[in-house]
Structure formats: C-alpha cells, structure tokens
Amino acid sequence: MELYFMGTNAGVPSLERNVTSLALRLFDERRSFWLFDCGEGTQHQILRSPLKLSKLEKIFITHLHGDHLFGLPGLISSRAYQGGNTPLTLYGPPGLKQYITTSLNISESRIDYRLDIVEHEGGKLFEDETFCIESELLDHRIASYGYRVIEKDLPGKLDSVILASHGIKPGPLYGKLKRGESVEAPDGVTITPDEVLGRPKQGRIVTILGDTRPCQAVISLSEGADAMVHESTFLDELAQTAYDYHHSTAKQAAEAAKAAGAKQLYLTHFSSRYKSEEQLHRLLVEAKQTFANAELAREHVIYPVVRADGEE
C-alpha cells in the first residue's frame, strides 16, 4: 500500500504543481489502484507515473469544486484506450452523476466498460474481505467529504517447519489453515490453525481528507491512522483567510493529526502563493512544531504506508 500524489496545488495549477489528485496504490493487495480526486491534467500526470489506467478500480471524489474533478471526463473516456475494460466505480457527493453523464453525453464519449457512479452523503461506502471504506462530511463551502480506508487484518505467517514435519507443503492446505480451518496432514495428524499460525498482521488505516476547516469529522476519520492526508492551504499567519475560505492552515492540520493519534501526516493542497521551496518549507516547519511526523507531499514520489510493526 503506497500513496502517490499527482497534484498538490490548491485552486489552479501552477508551473510547479498540478491541482489535486492522489493515488492509493494497492498492487500487492488488489493488483489495482484507487484514485482520490481528479483535477484537470490528472491523466497527463498518470502518463508520467508508474500507474496504468487499466489498473484503476475506484475513484473517490471529495467534493465538486473544479480543481478536484475537472479531469474526470477526459480520464474516464481515455481509460478504455489504455486497456481499461474492467468495471470502474466512482464515489462522490450528490451531483457527481449529473456532471459525469452530462459531460459524456454532450461530448458523445463512448465508454466500453461498466461505469458505476455512487453518490453518497457519508457512511460506509464499500466493504469486502480485504477493505472497508467510510466517509464523513467535513466543513467546507460546499459538501466536502473525507475518506477512511481500513485494511482488514491479515492472517499471520504459517510455521513451515512444523507443517513440513507432518508432510504438508505449500498449497490448498495452507489456504485452509489461513482461513481458520483445521486440516488433516498426510501422516494422519489433525493440525489446527492455533498450532501453526502466527499472530495476525494488523491492517493499516489511510485517511484522505477533502477541503475543510478544522472540525470533529477530521479527528474521527483520522483516529489512529497510519497515514493521514490533510490540506494545508495557508500558513497560520493567514488563519483568518483560511477560515473565510473554508480551508485549513499547516498548523491546524498538525493539531488534527496530534489529536487523532495519527502516525504520519502528509500536507497537501498548497496555495499558489507558496511557489518556492523556501516558502513551502515554512509550511512544514509550522506543522512540525506541533506534529513531528509531518511531511510535505511531493508529486511523483512513492510514499509507502508503514504498518505499526514497521512493515510496509
């Protein structure tokens, strides 16, 4: 599980940064990736990345401001030309379906794969045997949502030495033991999972937040998160400006990460006024004064999501 930022600017693109888009790479877990927001130019950023649209499984839109979704129609229509023929599901606030269907219909775009659009107002959006996705309404000028990605615990490691001593080799019996089933070994001995299965690996939690002022939903979505992505549009000297425009400062992002007990904070959604490395560094310094494990999100950099035990 890895984070890959393709846009970290707020409002409009700049020569230094694109507008908001973030991939959650799940190649080991699902052989796919999920996209969070899709600002203008996102498909160009994907062409410069190790990502392939054919592997895109889900898109989550935080809110319907242009810098977070103007890239969607082009990306959706281009996906089939890049080998994308598997179903694609979009999640986002009410109005997303009208925006997508209108754009595709007027442009007479042809989609050769199943496209599902799920409009929501928070709650549990998706769950299978490996992941659960939850969402809550944040505090922004329009309805803006944060997403909590919960990886379910993984089975512990099997003791291959004990299994080999009973004549059990990697294969179907390994799978049964990992699913919690007892098996009969070739030597006639019944092996229970408790005898050969180590402690489960704790699943990771990734929180990706849309534009927001500080609010309780930020804390609840980020509780205990292994990785937390929070907008940091302004320095705290512009806290009143941030409030007036329904945004947050780097200091406020750090305060939220500390209150939530998050393990790692990634700052993103920087105002275009902060162009130089020196100006961006001020945002990081401000955040680190409150929360040491803060980092500026950089475009086209892979950020592994580390487990509590230090494994990726």
Side-chain angles (χ1 to χ4, degrees):
M1 186 187 294
E2 300 160 326
L3 294 170
Y4 190 92
F5 292 86
M6 289 174 289
T8 58
N9 223 40
V12 295
S14 67
L15 292 175
E16 298 82 15
R17 302 184 298 273
N18 197 42
V19 284
T20 301
S21 185
L22 165 62
L24 179 62
R25 292 171 27 126
L26 301 167
F27 293 164
D28 290 340
E29 296 81 7
R30 303 177 71 90
R31 300 182 183 275
S32 67
F33 75 94
W34 295 349
L35 192 65
F36 291 80
D37 285 336
C38 187
E40 182 182 0
T42 294
Q43 65 172 313
H44 289 87
Q45 293 287 71
I46 288 177
L47 291 174
R48 301 183 183 100
S49 79
L51 303 169
K52 294 183 179 180
L53 279 179
S54 60
K55 300 296 184 181
L56 177 58
E57 181 186 10
K58 296 179 182 294
I59 301 176
F60 298 87
I61 299 299
T62 60
H63 63 293
L64 303 185
H65 276 154
D67 58 323
H68 293 256
L69 89 163
F70 277 169
L72 260 182
L75 183 144
I76 289 171
S77 60
S78 296
R79 180 174 179 261
Y81 294 104
Q82 298 187 34
N85 53 21
T86 54
L88 176 65
T89 305
L90 275 59
Y91 300 83
L96 177 63
K97 187 171 185 177
Q98 180 184 1
Y99 172 73
I100 294 300
T101 55
T102 300
S103 299
L104 297 181
N105 288 340
I106 290 178
S107 62
E108 297 187 8
S109 297
R110 181 180 176 183
I111 306 300
D112 294 326
Y113 56 85
R114 196 181 85 207
L115 178 65
D116 297 319
I117 302 175
V118 179
E119 295 187 337
H120 70 85
E121 295 179 300
K124 183 183 291 187
L125 307 180
F126 168 79
E127 184 172 17
D128 65 7
E129 65 277 4
T130 57
F131 283 94
C132 177
I133 313 296
E134 299 173 350
S135 180
E136 289 188 45
L137 180 67
L138 304 174
D139 182 0
H140 193 47
R141 187 161 54 86
I142 64 172
S144 179
Y145 290 87
Y147 295 99
R148 180 178 174 90
V149 180
I150 305 166
E151 179 188 32
K152 296 186 178 179
D153 291 349
L154 300 175
K157 187 177 181 180
L158 288 169
D159 191 323
S160 59
V161 174
I162 294 178
L163 293 172
S165 71
H166 291 283
I168 299 178
K169 299 178 180 180
L173 295 183
Y174 268 48
K176 286 186 176 183
L177 287 165
K178 284 192 172 185
R179 292 193 296 271
E181 302 174 28
S182 297
V183 302
E184 184 176 342
D187 62 6
V189 175
T190 298
I191 307 295
T192 66
D194 291 341
E195 296 176 82
V196 293
L197 199 58
R199 295 179 59 185
K201 287 186 178 181
Q202 185 176 352
R204 290 160 289 185
I205 297 173
V206 176
T207 299
I208 299 172
L209 303 164
D211 293 2
T212 186
R213 289 170 174 168
C215 63
Q216 182 55 42
V218 169
I219 308 301
S220 58
L221 284 169
S222 307
E223 183 178 358
D226 296 281
M228 173 185 179
V229 179
H230 195 302
E231 69 133 288
S232 305
T233 310
F234 300 105
L235 285 164
D236 205 56
E237 63 191 22
L238 294 176
Q240 186 59 50
T241 301
Y243 181 85
D244 292 343
Y245 285 92
H246 297 258
H247 286 293
S248 297
T249 68
K251 179 181 178 180
Q252 289 167 340
E255 290 171 342
K258 183 177 181 179
K263 298 175 182 65
Q264 179 70 50
L265 169 65
Y266 293 99
L267 306 174
T268 188
H269 201 265
F270 311 121
S271 168
S272 296
R273 72 184 63 207
Y274 306 122
K275 293 181 173 60
S276 69
E277 282 298 314
E278 180 181 355
Q279 291 172 319
L280 283 177
H281 188 66
R282 290 182 62 197
L283 290 162
L284 181 60
V285 169
E286 182 172 280
K288 280 184 169 291
Q289 290 173 349
T290 299
F291 188 79
N293 291 335
E295 189 167 348
L296 294 175
R298 303 288 185 178
E299 295 176 17
H300 299 295
V301 173
I302 295 173
Y303 297 97
V305 180
V306 180
R307 298 181 192 277
D309 59 9
E311 290 188 20
E312 295 178 5

